[in-house]
Amino acid sequence: MTKTTLIKAITAAMDEELARDEKVLVFGEDVGKNGGVFRATDGLQKTHGAQRVFDTPLAESGIIGLSTGLALKGFRPVPEIQFFGFVYEAMDEIAGQLARIRFRLGGTRKMPITIRAPFGGGVHTPELHADSLEGLIAQVPGLRVVIPSNPYDAKGLLISAIRSDDPVFFLEHMKLYRSIKAEVPDEAYTIPLDQAAIAREGQDVSLISYGAMVQECLKASDELAKAGISAEVVDLRTISPLDEKTILASVEKTSRAIVVQEAPKQAGIGAQVAALIAEKGILYLNAPIGRITAPNTPYPFSEAESDWLPNKNDIIAKAKEIMAY
Amino acid sequence: MSQNIIDFSQLDKLAKEFKTVKVLNEDGKIINKDWEPDLSDDQLKELFHQMVWSRTLDERSTKLNRQGRLGFYAPTAGEEASQIASNFALDKADFLLPAYRDVPQLVRHGLPLYKAFLWSRGHVDGNKYPADLAALPPQIIIGAQYVQAAGVALGIKLKDQRQVAYTYTGDGGTSQGDFYEGINFAGAFKAPAIFIVQNNGFAISVPRNKQTAAPTLAQKAVAAGIPGVQVDGMDALAVYKVTKEARDYAVAGNGPVLIETLTYRYGPHTLSGDDPKRYRTKETDDLWHQRDPLVRMRKYLTAKGLWTQAEEDSWIEETRNEINEAINKVENMPKQKISEYLQNTFVDSPVEIQQEIERYTAKEAD
């Protein structure tokens, strides 16, 4: 056990999988000698060699197409998209190509590819670096979308993703990279995909979220406790597919639900969770489902981002409103 | 007075570097003896046999489509030298990433013909390739296969295999970002890929001269730092020769090659409503028919004493039988099941997909 950051947990996961399976390849823009713009691949090229950890030319569609081709030759690629906002460049190679390959080949081939990308607001980036576009990717059949909220989950989920024979889009919130530390085992371990976690148990209201907003939910829950409201925090971890069982069990217990996402409201993961509760758990509810999201605009200019991003105060206010319903 | 720095004649100079490679002229005569490929009499006959097979397949496929027995079909007549002779120069172990017009190469590479027909009709079994068939099914998105070919080629290199990845697109495909990314990635990794641009003059209806200001498509290789060559795509011997050379160069570890074949599709873009009379003249059609790849090979083989009408007729007859057998087989295939579709979406199906599989399996049992 070592107390470590989320980014170090990510590096450790790749390091261990590179050592464990010679088919694993890690590549992308600046991931080689430079160790990634966030140092997520720091030292990996030195340890595992430039044949297995390498820089690519600067082209996102090329990086994903390269991954598909390598997977067809039996490799287990772990490409990095340097910032999630650059994913539009690669949408065909992701959604039109790699995610469909197993389906269109009638199950005769597999695509064990883990695409990693940093994303998320609050770190004062230029345009198209911080955008939460996970809803777009979550709509693609054949892909899993995983977003860890803490260092322990990050390592175990990334190892599961790399070992998965299906493609996984693994999103790493930039604000979480170094802002929190947690105990992380030194050895490899897995956390199952497709399973949400109860980040905090509670009785009165379920705060259902993922990524950095889980940390906001936990802070909100601390303050709500002082006001006598016991909030349960559900960390989705895999946002596509959703863990229906855990979500519904929590809502059945608390009878109130608030979905919290950093992404704009339209067609996001929160809408999917709300629809699930409406479809399969509406009779559990004592109040309308609350939704905390960013406004439906492109990601703001960075000096305004703290006003644009949802935060714990929004969650607290909504929880109180729902408790009073 | 200040002199010009930019050499505005550079494109004219470059064009001289990309003259069309020709070996066999329209009369079936060798015009570049030094470039005549080292093919035995049997190999020459086999190459022509495959071209006749492809022309016959095109004629029959067009009829079968009109009868409603085949689905999506992109005609291939006119492109036999470009398609068949390039494929003929490559190896079974080489990995083929075709576009939708490249069904003849796929079948020659090892795809059972009935599976090509299933693909055309829209049946998933057409895309279930045997494990030892090194190929993807035809690509629909123009150019998407180019970046994937770079990846396959890098995989070949990392495994230290003496193989290539080879892929096709058309003249329109060279305008796509993926085209540039593909040739650039393969070049940067010195990966063994052969990129074949079948320039048939039209991207559906848009003529080649509206596609780019570049005088040749082959010269696009220069910017990627890889060799490029333009070849007479109606000349099977020239196409074979450059493809063979490109393969030797790539497997020797030198990196990728871009080949532009100048060819023509006699038919429409696809049989789904395209009418070439809207964008091509009869004069242009006639000009290209005079360059027919089969006619000149037939003349060449006749002069060598390697061709008889009776033998060609027997090949056509055999091919028709092969086609009849394949189409009869696909017409008796079991119906596709949505439960199977669901099973094919993931290796490890999520819970909600498992539930859907159960639901559809129950529906299908009714």
Side-chain angles (χ1 to χ4, degrees), chain B residues 129-240:
Chain B
Y129 286 10
D132 62 350
L133 175 56
L136 275 183
Q139 179 58 249
I140 296 298
I141 299 300
I142 306 299
Q145 68 276 28
Y146 262 51
V147 284
Q148 295 161 12
V152 173
L154 179 59
I156 290 169
K157 183 180 173 175
L158 292 175
K159 289 180 142 183
D160 213 8
Q161 293 169 321
R162 290 186 64 79
Q163 299 164 4
V164 297
Y166 66 114
T167 187
Y168 295 85
T169 193
D171 36 315
T174 65
S175 298
Q176 285 278 21
D178 277 351
F179 167 83
Y180 294 99
E181 293 188 25
I183 63 172
N184 186 59
F185 269 57
F189 291 120
K190 270 198 169 198
I194 300 179
F195 297 103
I196 301 167
V197 174
Q198 304 191 94
N199 173 2
N200 64 20
F202 293 86
I204 303 188
S205 68
V206 178
R208 159 61 188 83
N209 62 9
K210 289 200 176 155
Q211 209 59 247
T212 172
T216 69
L217 303 178
Q219 74 194 69
K220 293 191 176 198
V222 174
I226 69 172
V229 61
Q230 187 189 64
V231 60
D232 180 353
M234 307 303 263
D235 174 351
L237 297 186
V239 172
Y240 173 84

Side-chain angles (χ1 to χ4, degrees), chain B residues 123-135:
Chain B
H123 195 300
V124 63
D125 284 8
N127 279 1
K128 288 181 186 167
Y129 286 10
D132 62 350
L133 175 56

Side-chain angles (χ1 to χ4, degrees), chain B residues 31-178:
Chain B
I31 48 173
N32 277 304
K33 189 71 192 156
D34 293 345
W35 293 345
E36 192 174 8
D38 301 318
L39 287 168
S40 69
D41 287 355
D42 282 349
Q43 286 173 311
L44 285 168
K45 276 182 73 173
E46 176 56 20
L47 172 56
F48 184 58
H49 182 172
Q50 290 190 15
M51 292 167 70
V52 171
W53 169 88
S54 190
R55 179 68 58 92
T56 309
L57 178 63
D58 182 72
E59 287 164 3
R60 288 296 297 151
S61 297
T62 302
K63 286 207 180 77
L64 289 166
N65 171 281
R66 302 278 186 233
Q67 294 165 2
R69 298 172 79 190
L70 269 191
F72 175 78
Y73 184 66
T76 60
E79 300 196 8
E80 290 85 357
S82 173
Q83 297 186 317
I84 295 294
S86 57
N87 189 69
F88 195 73
L90 297 162
D91 208 78
K92 273 275 177 286
D94 294 335
F95 200 107
L96 167 61
L97 296 98
Y100 46 79
R101 204 180 306 282
D102 302 314
V103 171
Q105 298 99 299
L106 260 177
V107 176
R108 297 318 316 189
H109 197 55
L111 181 70
L113 180 60
Y114 81 93
K115 285 195 179 260
F117 287 170
L118 282 171
W119 172 77
S120 163
R121 289 163 63 101
H123 195 300
V124 63
D125 284 8
N127 279 1
K128 288 181 186 167
Y129 286 10
D132 62 350
L133 175 56
L136 275 183
Q139 179 58 249
I140 296 298
I141 299 300
I142 306 299
Q145 68 276 28
Y146 262 51
V147 284
Q148 295 161 12
V152 173
L154 179 59
I156 290 169
K157 183 180 173 175
L158 292 175
K159 289 180 142 183
D160 213 8
Q161 293 169 321
R162 290 186 64 79
Q163 299 164 4
V164 297
Y166 66 114
T167 187
Y168 295 85
T169 193
D171 36 315
T174 65
S175 298
Q176 285 278 21
D178 277 351

Side-chain angles (χ1 to χ4, degrees), chain A residues 191-274:
Chain A
I191 290 175
L193 305 178
D194 305 353
Q195 286 184 21
I198 302 300
R200 178 160 305 160
E201 294 216 35
Q203 301 300 321
D204 299 329
V205 57
S206 299
L207 308 177
I208 303 166
S209 190
Y210 56 93
M213 281 296 133
V214 171
Q215 299 301 332
E216 291 299 306
C217 288
L218 289 170
K219 286 182 214 159
S221 149
D222 288 341
E223 293 194 24
L224 286 165
K226 290 175 203 155
I229 297 169
S230 165
E232 175 148 301
V233 179
V234 180
D235 180 355
L236 294 173
R237 301 197 296 196
T238 297
I239 61 157
S240 178
L242 288 173
D243 176 358
E244 297 191 356
K245 212 172 139 193
T246 303
I247 295 167
L248 292 171
S250 177
V251 176
E252 184 175 18
K253 180 169 79 173
T254 64
S255 304
R256 293 174 192 86
I258 300 174
V259 293
V260 184
Q261 68 181 32
E262 183 176 318
K265 195 168 195 174
Q266 178 69 20
I269 300 306
Q272 190 67 19
V273 173

Side-chain angles (χ1 to χ4, degrees), chain A residues 102 141-144 166-167 241, chain B residues 342-350 353:
Chain A
R102 181 172 177 77
L143 266 185
R144 281 185 171 83
D166 294 308
Chain B
L342 286 157
Q343 276 159 4
N344 292 342
T345 307
F346 289 93
V347 175
D348 182 15
S349 297
I353 299 249

